[in-house]
Amino acid sequence: MSYQITVEPTGDLIEVEEGQTILDAALRQGVWLPFACGHGTCATCKVQVLDGDVDLGEASSFALMDMERDEGKILVCCARPESDMVIEADIDVDPDFQGFPVQDYSATVAGITDLSPTIRGIQLKLNRPMEFQAGQYINLNIPGVEGTRAFSIANPPGDNDIIELHVRRVDGGAGTAWLHEQMQPGDSLALSGPFGQFFVRTSDSQDAIFLAGGSGLSSPQSMILDMLAQGDQRQIYLFQGARNVAELYNRELFDTLARDHAHFHYIPALSAPASEDDWQGFTGYVHEAAKQHFDNRFNGHKAYLCGPPPMIDAAISTLMQGRLFERDIHMERFVTAADGAAGPERSALFKRI
């Protein structure tokens, strides 16, 4: 049995199977609805029910308050229809968003590389190519782990029969523990994708600044490789932050790209270099490296941020102080259970979702 959902004001129609969430059905049919965490905790996917019956699911009482429930508001990442429905959503789709439908895939582990002492590179050979935009992510099913785990895609879309992931080992994380300790080449895994609104705004001619911390390098790597492959002639700046040289992975790749492409600039930054590193580059945090390089003047650029929440918040503050504002700042926050949240969310420094 299925139900038909009408989305206002766009008039899009979604067929939702019994027991399926509205968001899952929408993404699989190429209909964009705003969302972030996907677990009922951030309220980004809140919509108004105009007609019909629905099971609210496991929506957090903080994300969906009792008063809002009484007013007919729902979170589409949790809500499951019990009849045909009409909903009203605040939809603002970026013109550069290609909107590839989410699909399910099976994959074989084709390669494993220790990129750093805490980050593992994983190559997954898909059973069929996946269309995605550079910067998007997949949800991975990990054996013996409840639910899925989100990982950004590190390879460019031109290599769409392989998915490359950069996975940081999280203390106490069952999913990353399995990927670091038990996974072997040849293992089979299930995944779905693509997800996310983190991608290069190709219609904007402003030069691009990328700030990446830790395994947050994965999305910028995909985006930069794709820009260079497409012949994008904007000035591209990558600021990569790490603790020490051992954690500064894929440095050789970006040094080579900087030599081969005059409009690509690579600036690594170490926050606590070891004595044996003999580090001659920038010492400090990645946002401080960007501030120094641009003399605290960022206007006229697009900025793309990817990494853990403290890095993202520090980078946003620095960019805004340097006259770059929300319309030109895009980000992907790497949030884990250890960070006290269920998924990615917008920075508290941003008012607009």
Side-chain angles (χ1 to χ4, degrees):
M1 184 176 183
S2 65
Y3 302 105
Q4 187 174 80
I5 310 299
T6 302
V7 182
E8 298 294 353
T10 63
D12 288 320
L13 297 178
I14 306 168
E15 290 291 331
V16 186
E17 298 297 325
E18 188 170 11
Q20 185 180 27
T21 67
I22 297 172
L23 178 63
D24 183 66
L27 295 178
R28 291 177 182 277
Q29 293 167 53
V31 176
W32 171 251
L33 294 175
F35 78 102
C37 75
H39 301 284
T41 60
C42 76
T44 303
C45 68
K46 191 179 298 179
V47 304
Q48 178 70 49
V49 175
L50 301 179
D51 187 42
D53 301 315
V54 63
D55 178 354
L56 296 178
E58 299 178 358
S60 161
S61 58
F62 296 99
L64 190 67
M65 296 181 290
D66 289 342
M67 177 181 66
E68 293 175 312
R69 297 169 191 241
D70 294 340
E71 292 172 348
K73 290 184 171 61
I74 62 172
L75 303 183
V76 292
C77 71
C78 298
R80 295 172 171 82
E82 296 179 329
S83 71
D84 291 345
M85 296 176 61
V86 180
I87 62 174
E88 184 176 42
D90 184 11
I91 300 175
D92 182 17
V93 180
D94 191 288
D96 292 317
F97 179 55
Q98 296 180 29
F100 296 119
V102 170
Q103 299 183 53
D104 295 321
Y105 298 85
S106 60
T108 302
V109 179
I112 302 172
T113 305
D114 289 328
L115 299 173
S116 84
T118 61
I119 298 172
R120 168 167 275 196
I122 300 169
Q123 285 197 326
L124 302 175
K125 175 68 173 178
L126 300 176
N127 62 319
R128 66 184 190 282
M130 175 193 292
E131 289 188 296
F132 66 93
Q133 282 184 267
Q136 291 190 295
Y137 67 91
I138 56 102
N139 280 337
L140 184 66
N141 295 88
I142 300 174
V145 178
E146 184 178 358
T148 60
R149 298 294 186 270
F151 297 102
S152 292
I153 303 170
N155 54 292
D159 304 326
N160 62 2
D161 61 342
I162 288 281
I163 293 295
E164 178 185 341
L165 309 177
H166 298 168
V167 179
R168 178 176 65 90
R169 174 67 186 266
V170 177
D171 291 339
T176 62
W178 190 90
L179 293 171
H180 273 254
E181 297 174 3
Q182 300 183 49
M183 182 184 63
Q184 298 294 324
D187 285 346
S188 296
L189 296 171
L191 58 93
S192 58
F195 297 94
Q197 287 275 291
F198 189 55
F199 51 85
V200 174
R201 272 56 183 180
T202 55
S203 63
D204 192 306
S205 61
Q206 297 181 103
D207 294 338
I209 300 172
F210 294 90
L211 279 77
S215 60
L217 179 66
S218 51
S219 290
Q221 175 175 303
S222 175
M223 297 158 90
I224 290 167
L225 290 175
D226 188 45
M227 292 177 75
L228 295 176
Q230 297 301 322
D232 195 309
Q233 291 303 305
R234 282 175 287 183
Q235 297 296 308
I236 304 168
Y237 302 85
L238 171 62
F239 295 87
Q240 181 188 4
R243 182 173 178 81
N244 50 46
V245 166
E247 293 290 346
L248 192 69
Y249 72 94
N250 283 2
R251 179 184 177 189
E252 295 80 6
L253 167 65
F254 295 108
D255 278 336
T256 300
L257 291 175
R259 288 194 299 269
D260 293 345
H261 300 274
H263 62 296
F264 173 65
H265 314 275
Y266 175 52
I267 304 94
L270 299 185
S271 60
S275 56
E276 62 271 20
D277 288 341
D278 190 27
W279 179 243
Q280 303 299 315
F282 183 89
T283 300
Y285 292 107
V286 66
H287 64 280
E288 296 170 334
K291 181 177 181 178
Q292 181 189 84
H293 186 88
F294 285 99
D295 195 23
N296 200 30
R297 290 194 293 267
F298 299 104
N299 54 305
H301 295 83
K302 279 280 186 184
Y304 302 90
L305 321 177
C306 194
M311 184 221 104
I312 294 291
D313 288 338
I316 291 173
S317 296
T318 297
L319 292 169
M320 286 185 164
Q321 290 166 12
R323 309 301 295 171
L324 196 69
F325 300 110
E326 180 180 355
R327 67 181 178 273
D328 290 322
I329 301 175
H330 309 278
M331 62 182 174
E332 189 79 279
R333 295 160 68 92
F334 276 26
V335 183
T336 71
D339 298 307
E345 58 185 22
R346 294 299 302 269
S347 168
L349 296 172
F350 281 2
K351 294 181 180 178
R352 178 175 62 82
I353 297 298

PDB file of all heavy atoms in Angstrom, residues 105-123:
ATOM      1  N   TYR A 105      22.701   0.744  -3.138  1.00  0.00           N
ATOM      2  CA  TYR A 105      23.789   0.106  -3.869  1.00  0.00           C
ATOM      3  C   TYR A 105      24.403  -0.987  -3.004  1.00  0.00           C
ATOM      4  O   TYR A 105      24.367  -0.928  -1.774  1.00  0.00           O
ATOM      5  CB  TYR A 105      24.886   1.119  -4.217  1.00  0.00           C
ATOM      6  CG  TYR A 105      24.429   2.238  -5.122  1.00  0.00           C
ATOM      7  CD1 TYR A 105      23.810   3.374  -4.593  1.00  0.00           C
ATOM      8  CD2 TYR A 105      24.619   2.173  -6.507  1.00  0.00           C
ATOM      9  CE1 TYR A 105      23.379   4.399  -5.421  1.00  0.00           C
ATOM     10  CE2 TYR A 105      24.200   3.202  -7.333  1.00  0.00           C
ATOM     11  CZ  TYR A 105      23.577   4.313  -6.788  1.00  0.00           C
ATOM     12  OH  TYR A 105      23.154   5.326  -7.600  1.00  0.00           O
ATOM     13  N   SER A 106      24.985  -1.966  -3.676  1.00  0.00           N
ATOM     14  CA  SER A 106      25.871  -2.913  -2.996  1.00  0.00           C
ATOM     15  C   SER A 106      27.287  -2.630  -3.469  1.00  0.00           C
ATOM     16  O   SER A 106      27.491  -2.146  -4.584  1.00  0.00           O
ATOM     17  CB  SER A 106      25.479  -4.365  -3.299  1.00  0.00           C
ATOM     18  OG  SER A 106      25.544  -4.623  -4.692  1.00  0.00           O
ATOM     19  N   ALA A 107      28.250  -2.902  -2.609  1.00  0.00           N
ATOM     20  CA  ALA A 107      29.634  -2.563  -2.933  1.00  0.00           C
ATOM     21  C   ALA A 107      30.574  -3.609  -2.368  1.00  0.00           C
ATOM     22  O   ALA A 107      30.271  -4.281  -1.374  1.00  0.00           O
ATOM     23  CB  ALA A 107      29.989  -1.185  -2.381  1.00  0.00           C
ATOM     24  N   THR A 108      31.731  -3.731  -3.011  1.00  0.00           N
ATOM     25  CA  THR A 108      32.798  -4.614  -2.553  1.00  0.00           C
ATOM     26  C   THR A 108      33.996  -3.767  -2.155  1.00  0.00           C
ATOM     27  O   THR A 108      34.360  -2.825  -2.867  1.00  0.00           O
ATOM     28  CB  THR A 108      33.214  -5.595  -3.662  1.00  0.00           C
ATOM     29  OG1 THR A 108      32.075  -6.355  -4.071  1.00  0.00           O
ATOM     30  CG2 THR A 108      34.301  -6.535  -3.163  1.00  0.00           C
ATOM     31  N   VAL A 109      34.588  -4.078  -1.017  1.00  0.00           N
ATOM     32  CA  VAL A 109      35.775  -3.346  -0.567  1.00  0.00           C
ATOM     33  C   VAL A 109      36.924  -3.676  -1.511  1.00  0.00           C
ATOM     34  O   VAL A 109      37.414  -4.799  -1.559  1.00  0.00           O
ATOM     35  CB  VAL A 109      36.140  -3.714   0.882  1.00  0.00           C
ATOM     36  CG1 VAL A 109      37.406  -2.961   1.312  1.00  0.00           C
ATOM     37  CG2 VAL A 109      34.982  -3.400   1.820  1.00  0.00           C
ATOM     38  N   ALA A 110      37.341  -2.658  -2.282  1.00  0.00           N
ATOM     39  CA  ALA A 110      38.359  -2.874  -3.304  1.00  0.00           C
ATOM     40  C   ALA A 110      39.748  -2.444  -2.856  1.00  0.00           C
ATOM     41  O   ALA A 110      40.754  -2.858  -3.441  1.00  0.00           O
ATOM     42  CB  ALA A 110      37.982  -2.121  -4.585  1.00  0.00           C
ATOM     43  N   GLY A 111      39.829  -1.604  -1.833  1.00  0.00           N
ATOM     44  CA  GLY A 111      41.125  -1.141  -1.374  1.00  0.00           C
ATOM     45  C   GLY A 111      41.048  -0.499  -0.015  1.00  0.00           C
ATOM     46  O   GLY A 111      40.040   0.134   0.334  1.00  0.00           O
ATOM     47  N   ILE A 112      42.088  -0.674   0.793  1.00  0.00           N
ATOM     48  CA  ILE A 112      42.178  -0.084   2.125  1.00  0.00           C
ATOM     49  C   ILE A 112      43.569   0.527   2.276  1.00  0.00           C
ATOM     50  O   ILE A 112      44.582  -0.134   2.002  1.00  0.00           O
ATOM     51  CB  ILE A 112      41.960  -1.135   3.243  1.00  0.00           C
ATOM     52  CG1 ILE A 112      40.591  -1.807   3.096  1.00  0.00           C
ATOM     53  CG2 ILE A 112      42.102  -0.487   4.614  1.00  0.00           C
ATOM     54  CD1 ILE A 112      40.376  -2.975   4.042  1.00  0.00           C
ATOM     55  N   THR A 113      43.624   1.793   2.690  1.00  0.00           N
ATOM     56  CA  THR A 113      44.895   2.491   2.858  1.00  0.00           C
ATOM     57  C   THR A 113      44.883   3.233   4.186  1.00  0.00           C
ATOM     58  O   THR A 113      43.909   3.920   4.506  1.00  0.00           O
ATOM     59  CB  THR A 113      45.125   3.512   1.728  1.00  0.00           C
ATOM     60  OG1 THR A 113      45.025   2.864   0.468  1.00  0.00           O
ATOM     61  CG2 THR A 113      46.493   4.161   1.854  1.00  0.00           C
ATOM     62  N   ASP A 114      45.949   3.103   4.959  1.00  0.00           N
ATOM     63  CA  ASP A 114      46.089   3.897   6.175  1.00  0.00           C
ATOM     64  C   ASP A 114      46.656   5.260   5.789  1.00  0.00           C
ATOM     65  O   ASP A 114      47.850   5.400   5.512  1.00  0.00           O
ATOM     66  CB  ASP A 114      46.993   3.188   7.184  1.00  0.00           C
ATOM     67  CG  ASP A 114      46.334   1.969   7.795  1.00  0.00           C
ATOM     68  OD1 ASP A 114      45.097   1.987   7.958  1.00  0.00           O
ATOM     69  OD2 ASP A 114      47.045   0.992   8.097  1.00  0.00           O
ATOM     70  N   LEU A 115      45.786   6.254   5.746  1.00  0.00           N
ATOM     71  CA  LEU A 115      46.189   7.592   5.330  1.00  0.00           C
ATOM     72  C   LEU A 115      46.958   8.323   6.418  1.00  0.00           C
ATOM     73  O   LEU A 115      47.840   9.141   6.138  1.00  0.00           O
ATOM     74  CB  LEU A 115      44.955   8.404   4.936  1.00  0.00           C
ATOM     75  CG  LEU A 115      44.138   7.843   3.763  1.00  0.00           C
ATOM     76  CD1 LEU A 115      42.851   8.637   3.580  1.00  0.00           C
ATOM     77  CD2 LEU A 115      44.968   7.864   2.485  1.00  0.00           C
ATOM     78  N   SER A 116      46.606   8.050   7.666  1.00  0.00           N
ATOM     79  CA  SER A 116      47.267   8.652   8.831  1.00  0.00           C
ATOM     80  C   SER A 116      47.089   7.697   9.996  1.00  0.00           C
ATOM     81  O   SER A 116      46.411   6.671   9.862  1.00  0.00           O
ATOM     82  CB  SER A 116      46.657  10.027   9.137  1.00  0.00           C
ATOM     83  OG  SER A 116      45.489   9.896   9.923  1.00  0.00           O
ATOM     84  N   PRO A 117      47.663   7.998  11.161  1.00  0.00           N
ATOM     85  CA  PRO A 117      47.469   7.101  12.303  1.00  0.00           C
ATOM     86  C   PRO A 117      46.006   6.952  12.722  1.00  0.00           C
ATOM     87  O   PRO A 117      45.656   5.963  13.379  1.00  0.00           O
ATOM     88  CB  PRO A 117      48.287   7.780  13.413  1.00  0.00           C
ATOM     89  CG  PRO A 117      49.359   8.523  12.689  1.00  0.00           C
ATOM     90  CD  PRO A 117      48.695   9.028  11.442  1.00  0.00           C
ATOM     91  N   THR A 118      45.135   7.895  12.347  1.00  0.00           N
ATOM     92  CA  THR A 118      43.733   7.834  12.783  1.00  0.00           C
ATOM     93  C   THR A 118      42.744   7.795  11.630  1.00  0.00           C
ATOM     94  O   THR A 118      41.547   7.639  11.863  1.00  0.00           O
ATOM     95  CB  THR A 118      43.392   9.053  13.659  1.00  0.00           C
ATOM     96  OG1 THR A 118      43.579  10.249  12.887  1.00  0.00           O
ATOM     97  CG2 THR A 118      44.257   9.100  14.906  1.00  0.00           C
ATOM     98  N   ILE A 119      43.199   7.928  10.393  1.00  0.00           N
ATOM     99  CA  ILE A 119      42.288   8.024   9.245  1.00  0.00           C
ATOM    100  C   ILE A 119      42.616   6.938   8.231  1.00  0.00           C
ATOM    101  O   ILE A 119      43.765   6.769   7.828  1.00  0.00           O
ATOM    102  CB  ILE A 119      42.373   9.411   8.580  1.00  0.00           C
ATOM    103  CG1 ILE A 119      41.947  10.495   9.576  1.00  0.00           C
ATOM    104  CG2 ILE A 119      41.488   9.472   7.336  1.00  0.00           C
ATOM    105  CD1 ILE A 119      42.173  11.909   9.093  1.00  0.00           C
ATOM    106  N   ARG A 120      41.578   6.231   7.818  1.00  0.00           N
ATOM    107  CA  ARG A 120      41.730   5.132   6.863  1.00  0.00           C
ATOM    108  C   ARG A 120      41.026   5.497   5.564  1.00  0.00           C
ATOM    109  O   ARG A 120      39.896   6.007   5.558  1.00  0.00           O
ATOM    110  CB  ARG A 120      41.141   3.856   7.452  1.00  0.00           C
ATOM    111  CG  ARG A 120      40.960   2.704   6.490  1.00  0.00           C
ATOM    112  CD  ARG A 120      40.665   1.403   7.197  1.00  0.00           C
ATOM    113  NE  ARG A 120      41.911   0.748   7.601  1.00  0.00           N
ATOM    114  CZ  ARG A 120      41.990  -0.523   7.964  1.00  0.00           C
ATOM    115  NH1 ARG A 120      40.895  -1.272   8.029  1.00  0.00           N
ATOM    116  NH2 ARG A 120      43.151  -1.058   8.294  1.00  0.00           N
ATOM    117  N   GLY A 121      41.687   5.249   4.457  1.00  0.00           N
ATOM    118  CA  GLY A 121      41.075   5.410   3.148  1.00  0.00           C
ATOM    119  C   GLY A 121      40.468   4.100   2.694  1.00  0.00           C
ATOM    120  O   GLY A 121      41.100   3.048   2.782  1.00  0.00           O
ATOM    121  N   ILE A 122      39.218   4.157   2.224  1.00  0.00           N
ATOM    122  CA  ILE A 122      38.497   2.947   1.812  1.00  0.00           C
ATOM    123  C   ILE A 122      37.962   3.159   0.398  1.00  0.00           C
ATOM    124  O   ILE A 122      37.315   4.179   0.121  1.00  0.00           O
ATOM    125  CB  ILE A 122      37.325   2.643   2.765  1.00  0.00           C
ATOM    126  CG1 ILE A 122      37.849   2.435   4.187  1.00  0.00           C
ATOM    127  CG2 ILE A 122      36.545   1.428   2.287  1.00  0.00           C
ATOM    128  CD1 ILE A 122      36.751   2.403   5.240  1.00  0.00           C
ATOM    129  N   GLN A 123      38.221   2.225  -0.487  1.00  0.00           N
ATOM    130  CA  GLN A 123      37.663   2.260  -1.832  1.00  0.00           C
ATOM    131  C   GLN A 123      36.608   1.167  -1.956  1.00  0.00           C
ATOM    132  O   GLN A 123      36.888  -0.013  -1.681  1.00  0.00           O
ATOM    133  CB  GLN A 123      38.749   2.064  -2.882  1.00  0.00           C
ATOM    134  CG  GLN A 123      39.620   3.300  -3.092  1.00  0.00           C
ATOM    135  CD  GLN A 123      40.391   3.221  -4.392  1.00  0.00           C
ATOM    136  OE1 GLN A 123      40.803   2.155  -4.819  1.00  0.00           O
ATOM    137  NE2 GLN A 123      40.595   4.363  -5.027  1.00  0.00           N
TER     138      GLN A 123
END
